[in-house]
Every structure is written in C-alpha cells, then in structure tokens.
Amino acid sequence: MVFIDACFKRRTPYTPVWFMRQAGRYLSEYKEVRKQAGDFLSLCKNPKLASEVTLQPVEILNVDAAILFSDILVVPLEMGMDLGFFAGEGPKFSSPIRDAKDLTQLSEDAHTRLNYVYDTISLTRQNLAKDKALIGFCGAPWTLATYMIEGEGSKTYAKSKKILYQNPQFLHNILEKITQNLKLYLESQIKAGVDAVMVFDSWASALEESAYLEFGWKYCKEIADYIKVKYSHIPVILFPKGISGFLDKIDGNFDVFGVDWSTPLALAKEKLGAKYTLQGNLEPCRIYDKEMMLKGTKEILEIMQGSAHIFNLGHGMLPDLPRENAIALVEFIHNYS
Ligand code: CP3
C-alpha cells in the first residue's frame, strides 16, 4: 500500500493522499445514508451503514486511504457518559465530570462495548481494495477530557484549565483513565483489521507550551508507545493541532506527524522531517477556489519533494466544500507528484 509505505518513509511512486473528515456532509451520498440511519450516533452504531460511508470517499475521490467512520466521542460514551448530538450545536454530555466521584463512576473497559466499531472495521476491510489503507483513530486524552469536563465544545476551555491549574493531580487522574481506555480501544481496532491508527489532539492549541507537554503530549506519546511496542508494523499518526511554537519539543515513538494548516510546512520539515513522515497541510478553505487550491497544493508538494509526505488537509473538510474540487485535487496530486 502506497499509504503505508509513505508512513514508513519507503519510496513511493506518487504522494499518497486522503482528507480528514473525508466522509461527511459535503457528499450528497453521505447525507442520504445518514438520513437512512436516522441520526449521527445511530449511523456510528450501524456497521453496515458506517462501513458504506467509510468507503464513499475512496470510490468518489480515489483517495489512498479510508478512515473509519465513527467519532472520537464514542469512547467517553462507552465509559458511561450520556452523549447527544444536536443539529447546529454539536455534541453534548448531559453530566460532565465535576469531581472525583464522577470520575470513579467511569469505566476502564470502554473497548469491550465498542463492538459496533470493530464490526464496521472488519466489514470495511473486506470491501476495501487491497491497495488502499484503512485508518483507525481515537481522540487524544486532552481533547476528549475537554468535552468530558466542559460538557460540550468550548471557546475558552475555562473549566478544564481551572482544574489544570487548581488541581493538576485530578486532571492527571482523568487523563490516565482516558489513556487506559484508548490503548485498549486502538489495540482492538488493530485486531479488527485497521492498517494504521491516528490520534486527534484537535484542541492542543488551547494550552501553553509547558501545560501541553505535561497534560497533552505526554499522553499521546504514551498511547503511541503502547501501540508501537506491541504492533511495530502498524503506523501511528499523531496530530496535535496548533503547536507550531514548540515543534522543537516534539519527540516520541511514532511514525507520522500531522501538520495543521496554521503551521508553516517548511518549518515542520526542518524540525521534524528527518525523523517522521509529515502529513498535511492544505488550508481546507482553499478548496472553495480551484485556482487557490492548486496553487497551495503545488507549494506543499514542492516543499516536501524528496521527503516522506502524505498529502492531507490541515484540518477537516467543511460541509459546504465543492466536491468537484476535492476530486480534482486528488487527481492533481497523483499526477503531479
Ligand atoms: O474523518 C472522517 O471522515 C472520519 C470520521 C470522523 C468524524 N469525526 C465524523 C463526524 C472523525 C475522524 C471525527 C473526529 C472528531 N470528532 C474530532 C477530531 C477531529 C477534528 O475535526 O478536529 C472532533 C473534535 C470530534 C467531535 C465532533 N464530532 C464535533 C465537534 C462534531 C460536530 C461538528 C459538526 O461538524 O457538526 C462531531 C460530529 C461529526 N463527526 C460529524 C461527522 C461526519 C458531523 C455529523 C453530521 O451532522 O453528520
């Protein structure tokens, strides 16, 4: 698989490409299946339909990898938290973590209740072309903790950061419990058939450098190391979003570093390109305009020429991006590189 070769810095005939959030509302086919499922969580819990939307972008865009269709929040859900998705508002937990008693009630074996994810994986792997990779994923402990503490998406992360500064040990206890769940969850995804795993630390940028290294990156590295020691043939991708100010401090036992769109790619290459394959980092909104999309793409391919690279966006696809441009983008990368 071209994607897996690139993860391990082996030579590839062209630059592999896939997009974060490549399955989603910008595809009418997705909206159709989602309607059939009823709502978003029912879609995640329905292996047949979840597998169908996992495969859609591979067929429509010809990307080199599929990413499991699910959500990072199914782990807190199966740790015992009540989760709802509300139109226009995003995810909400009705009883966020407030104190040690709330944390004690959460389980450490969420992975035993996530069979719908493993069934989606095995069904998808059966139907996916042999030369395309299937990526499994989870949210990073810090990013998941913000949802579990705030109860929803947040602009300030004030509740989570209040705990971080007033009671750091309590935050560590929360992060340790989440980490334990995630190690076993990714391991189960590997046993079900994923070819690579990715950890999304979407809200890394909410923390100052010292806090991120202690409460965020430390746990990402711990998960990566757990997987690499047991499954060295499975590439591990880490994506801490918005930390370009301290790329010097990034190290660990993993294979691919996901570069977000706010990080200059040449800087990431200088700091991390010798050690890791870089994945990224087109600003997603460039896809609104074909000319700007191709201009940004050429710049990225030129910077990464001769260096291990997986093309991706610098964050997820947006619901109203024009699909024709996304299709043209994949074709361009395959031909140009
Ligand atoms: O990338 C993919 O195509 C695979 C599927 C995937 C989803 N969510 C599907 C989804 C992945 C990898 C995620 C990860 C995820 N989920 C993250 C980390 C990545 C990132 O974007 O930074 C986060 C923070 C979440 C939490 C989450 N899930 C939010 C904030 C929302 C609401 C935002 C929105 O777009 O409405 C979701 C819902 C969600 N997850 C949707 C999809 C396709 C939209 C649901 C729908 O309305 O159909």
Side-chain angles (χ1 to χ4, degrees), residues 110-147:
H111 73 288
T112 62
R113 282 178 295 282
L114 284 152
N115 287 314
Y116 50 88
V117 172
Y118 317 137
D119 290 346
T120 303
I121 291 169
S122 47
L123 197 56
T124 305
R125 195 52 274 181
Q126 279 166 38
N127 292 310
L128 183 64
K130 295 266 178 295
D131 60 336
K132 309 274 189 188
L134 177 60
I135 304 168
F137 70 90
C138 67
W142 161 250
T143 289
L144 290 178
T146 66
Y147 285 98

Side-chain angles (χ1 to χ4, degrees), residues 183-197:
K183 287 177 184 171
L184 300 175
Y185 178 47
L186 288 184
E187 181 164 28
S188 301
Q189 290 188 29
I190 292 168
K191 288 178 180 159
V194 299
D195 304 296
V197 294

